[in-house]
Amino acid sequence: MNIIITGCSKGIGLELAKLFCKDTDNFVIGISRTKIEKSLIKELGNNSVFVPISYDLQNITKDLYDKIFMEIKTVDVLINNAGLLINKSFEELNDTDFDDMFNVNVKSVFKLIQMLLPHFSNNSHIVNISSMGGFQGSAKFKGLSLYSSSKAALNILTECMAEEFKEMNIKVNSLSLGAVDTEMLRLAFPGYKAQLNPIEMADYIKKFAENSHHYMNGKIIPVSISTP
Ligand SMILES: NC(=O)c1ccc[n+]([C@@H]2O[C@H](COP(=O)([O-])OP(=O)(O)OC[C@H]3O[C@@H](n4cnc5c(N)ncnc54)[C@H](OP(=O)(O)O)[C@@H]3O)[C@@H](O)[C@H]2O)c1
């Protein structure tokens, strides 16, 4: 399978890349700003091919298209995992925070999918990684108004794209994650103890990405044992 994962320099995305590379015959492209260490690439590329692309998803232009399609012709699975969380009270949040979070969490997903659209294989799967904060009716937390709103926008974008891509047989689903013990969570909520680690969450997401599009499309799934 040809798999593209965004945000795989650390956290959940890195574990996802490792898991997909454990299988044989996958071609995995990982996109994040941080250049991934050569030693890590070796570790990742044991049974499959792993190609890292260093790229800032806040500014997607045609050169990303060239970098991707130099490597592959079609896309079977796209996991939009890259995310940005800025924890500030509503009064403190500014225009830059708004633009940065909406650019990474929503606009980059829109731009990347629009770019890849003619190249998705038949019955391919797009998985958007959202948050419980963006799930209607969930518990809300102070400091996360723009982050949660951006993830809510991602969820509705998921539903709309699923409808638009039906004839192309591209399935789009969204996973609204609860707390996972990563740098993002540790920086935003120092001292908070998450019940899941990134390996456990990546294992769930990988299986979901490989199988669930045979059973669902346009769905927003809460994946949480911590949030009501
Ligand atoms: N951890 C949680 O508790 C939790 C809960 C709910 C939802 N989520 C969601 O799960 C996803 C993964 O989160 P995580 O906890 O693994 O976070 P993380 O450890 O902070 O990793 C975030 C990843 O996104 C990449 N990224 C951020 N901005 C980028 C940009 N402008 N261009 C390219 N890549 C960018 C980062 O790479 P670079 O910095 O190298 O660019 C990094 O690889 C996110 O969408 C997050 O919102 C996490």
Side-chain angles (χ1 to χ4, degrees):
M1 277 199 306
N2 291 340
I3 299 142
I4 300 178
I5 306 166
T6 68
C8 57
S9 60
K10 58 187 171 188
I12 298 165
L14 176 59
E15 300 307 328
L16 265 173
K18 285 184 186 169
L19 286 177
F20 274 111
C21 287
K22 262 192 187 164
D23 293 348
T24 43
D25 296 334
N26 282 333
F27 196 107
V28 183
I29 295 181
I31 307 171
S32 42
R33 286 167 304 181
T34 310
K35 213 171 162 32
I36 297 177
E37 293 295 324
K38 274 213 171 100
S39 56
L40 191 56
I41 296 171
K42 235 180 159 189
E43 187 191 324
L44 284 166
N46 267 346
N47 301 317
S48 293
V49 180
F50 179 77
V51 175
I53 296 180
S54 300
Y55 202 88
D56 185 350
L57 291 165
Q58 284 220 47
N59 298 300
I60 295 182
T61 54
K62 164 93 172 43
D63 60 331
L64 181 58
Y65 179 96
D66 298 336
K67 285 173 197 270
I68 292 172
F69 292 106
M70 224 164 60
E71 305 291 344
I72 53 174
K73 296 273 171 289
T74 55
V75 182
D76 301 306
V77 171
L78 167 67
I79 304 180
N80 288 303
N81 165 77
L84 179 67
L85 186 161
I86 298 167
N87 182 351
K88 279 186 189 174
S89 72
F90 187 84
E91 292 94 322
E92 283 171 331
L93 284 163
N94 57 41
D95 284 9
T96 311
D97 298 329
F98 187 102
D99 291 344
D100 287 351
M101 276 189 279
F102 273 77
N103 275 340
V104 177
N105 298 344
V106 190
K107 192 175 176 187
S108 78
V109 175
F110 159 72
K111 299 258 304 176
L112 184 60
I113 293 174
Q114 213 175 43
M115 176 181 276
L116 300 177
L117 205 52
H119 301 278
F120 281 104
S121 58
N122 189 37
N123 207 16
S124 48
H125 195 190
I126 299 170
V127 180
N128 294 325
I129 303 301
S130 181
S131 165
M132 278 308 292
F135 191 82
Q136 190 181 18
S138 67
K140 298 293 183 280
F141 296 95
K142 282 182 183 164
L144 298 189
S145 55
L146 285 182
Y147 171 75
S148 298
S149 308
S150 70
K151 292 297 191 178
L154 179 61
N155 281 342
I156 302 305
L157 186 63
T158 299
E159 292 184 324
C160 296
M161 289 190 296
E163 191 57 36
E164 292 219 17
F165 303 164
K166 264 182 185 165
E167 276 74 44
M168 293 178 253
N169 204 17
I170 303 167
K171 307 289 185 355
V172 195
N173 291 298
S174 170
L175 297 176
S176 290
L177 308 188
V180 184
D181 183 22
T182 66
E183 190 178 304
M184 177 184 281
L185 188 80
R186 287 192 291 272
L187 286 175
F189 299 102
Y192 182 86
K193 209 62 226 112
Q195 292 183 56
L196 286 177
N197 66 43
I199 301 173
E200 291 165 325
M201 188 52 90
D203 181 56
Y204 175 81
I205 296 171
K206 177 178 182 275
K207 288 171 185 154
F208 182 88
E210 288 172 331
N211 299 310
S212 300
H213 57 308
H214 300 298
Y215 308 96
M216 62 181 84
N217 187 26
K219 297 293 177 280
I220 298 162
I221 317 291
V223 186
S224 174
I225 47 177
S226 55
T227 317

